Amino acid sequence: MAGASPPLCLVVLVVCLLGFSGAADMNGELEITWGGDRAKFLDGGNELTLSLDRGSGSGFWSRNQYLFAKIDMQIKLVPGNSAGTVTAYYLRSEESKWDEIDFEFLGNLSGEPYIVHTNIFVQGKGDREQQFYLWFDPTADFHTYSFLWNPKNIILYVDGTPIREFKNMESKGIPFPKNQALRLQSSLWNGDSWATWGGRVKIDWSQAPFTAAYTNFNDDQACIWSSSASSSCAASSKDDSWLSQQLDSAAHQKLEWVHKNYMIYNYCTDFKRFPQGLAPECVTQG
């Protein structure tokens, strides 16, 4: 975006959706955006699948956009030899200098662990990658992957366990995504130029189609962006405690457990990549 613009929250109204949206019929909440019949709603809309073959991948997005949200989705990742595939699950704005909060699940050779690649973009600038191994087989069953994005912090969860925390430190001059509405998106695509061991392992197309499955989408605690809303999240009389939720000491212990045992890359320790100095938030958070 050229020049300064007023914060989105000052020029649009926001409504807080706090009633339970339900797990059934995600067709009303999610929209297939590309890939043709490679993306499908199943079981009356209770499940959605994305597939990748040599011709194309596929994707969907949420019909709603959000200005702060707590969102859950259960995902079963591509099984078997999924090397080179990327299952992306993220929140992203539509502006040219975009904000984005990422989970990207990097496929593997059979028997090797999946890597969860995470990143946070503010005004089009990322370079905040952290990567983790999962402590279970994410292809054997559905597991819950969650975003908590509020004015105080961003927290990424796996089955309720926090794996990443990014605090709002604007008071220290560190940008934080808060002025652009984000839409939940997911896609399954060919990332074999970089995904598995830096692109050294390519997709084995004899294993195609590759399929990931989604269920139990839940945005029942989210501020829905709307140009015609009559109230904001802050004005809601319902429970909006999630808008100020942060990690307590027990949750921080779980976060530290993940970082100690399963973190395999942290931009906050990569002096070789950033010889000019680490990002300023790395001084106070890892």
Side-chain angles (χ1 to χ4, degrees):
M1 294 178 294
S5 59
L8 181 62
C9 56
L10 296 182
V11 297
V12 299
L13 293 173
V14 174
V15 63
C16 193
L17 176 68
L18 290 170
F20 180 62
S21 62
D25 195 5
M26 295 186 297
N27 205 345
E29 305 287 341
L30 307 174
E31 180 180 9
I32 293 169
T33 51
W34 64 286
D37 62 4
R38 296 174 182 85
K40 298 176 181 178
F41 285 101
L42 305 174
D43 188 23
N46 284 314
E47 185 174 323
L48 175 113
T49 60
L50 297 181
S51 292
L52 165 70
D53 58 30
R54 191 182 289 272
S56 177
S58 52
F60 67 84
W61 66 15
S62 61
R63 297 183 185 274
N64 288 323
Q65 296 182 70
Y66 310 96
L67 192 60
F68 304 124
K70 187 175 183 179
I71 293 176
D72 303 321
M73 177 79 84
Q74 290 191 309
I75 306 174
K76 186 192 298 184
L77 296 175
V78 177
N81 180 1
S82 58
T85 69
V86 177
T87 305
Y89 167 63
Y90 57 102
L91 291 164
R92 180 178 168 127
S93 68
E94 298 177 354
E95 286 74 4
S96 58
K97 291 186 177 180
W98 70 98
D99 294 343
E100 183 174 338
I101 306 167
D102 288 343
F103 282 95
E104 289 186 303
F105 304 98
L106 310 186
N108 60 4
L109 293 170
S110 295
E112 296 294 324
Y114 256 82
I115 291 175
V116 182
H117 177 95
T118 70
N119 203 351
I120 294 170
F121 290 77
V122 186
Q123 291 288 302
K125 184 183 184 304
D127 295 335
R128 297 181 177 93
E129 296 92 345
Q130 291 182 350
Q131 292 185 341
F132 309 86
Y133 286 132
L134 290 171
W135 49 95
F136 52 84
D137 180 357
T139 73
D141 203 350
F142 287 95
H143 291 267
T144 303
Y145 303 92
S146 307
F147 302 92
L148 173 63
W149 168 45
N150 65 29
K152 293 185 176 293
N153 48 210
I154 295 165
I155 305 171
L156 302 182
Y157 295 88
V158 175
D159 287 337
T161 297
I163 67 168
R164 179 160 190 177
E165 175 189 42
F166 185 82
K167 295 180 179 179
N168 184 339
M169 293 182 283
E170 287 183 304
S171 62
K172 299 180 180 179
I174 298 166
F176 185 83
K178 68 173 189 178
N179 297 326
Q180 299 185 45
L182 308 185
R183 190 189 299 271
L184 179 73
Q185 303 186 49
S186 189
S187 59
L188 177 54
W189 51 283
N190 177 0
D192 72 2
S193 64
W194 68 276
T196 305
W197 298 343
R200 294 192 295 274
V201 181
K202 302 302 181 183
I203 289 180
D204 178 0
W205 290 111
S206 70
Q207 304 295 312
F210 304 96
T211 300
Y214 303 75
T215 191
N216 289 333
F217 169 69
N218 188 344
D219 67 350
D220 66 322
Q221 294 177 310
C223 299
I224 306 300
W225 176 84
S226 172
S227 60
S228 59
S230 58
S231 64
S232 71
C233 273
S236 172
S237 61
K238 297 184 179 181
D239 178 16
D240 57 2
S241 59
W242 66 273
L243 273 167
S244 57
Q245 181 179 335
Q246 300 181 80
L247 295 181
D248 59 19
S249 58
H252 267 294
Q253 289 181 357
K254 293 180 180 179
L255 181 73
E256 291 170 3
W257 173 79
V258 172
H259 285 200
K260 178 181 178 181
N261 293 285
Y262 297 101
M263 177 179 274
I264 56 175
Y265 178 80
N266 185 359
Y267 76 111
C268 280
T269 61
D270 194 343
F271 292 95
K272 182 177 180 180
R273 181 181 173 196
F274 302 106
Q276 74 281 10
L278 300 177
E281 66 265 21
C282 295
V283 175
T284 55
Q285 67 177 41

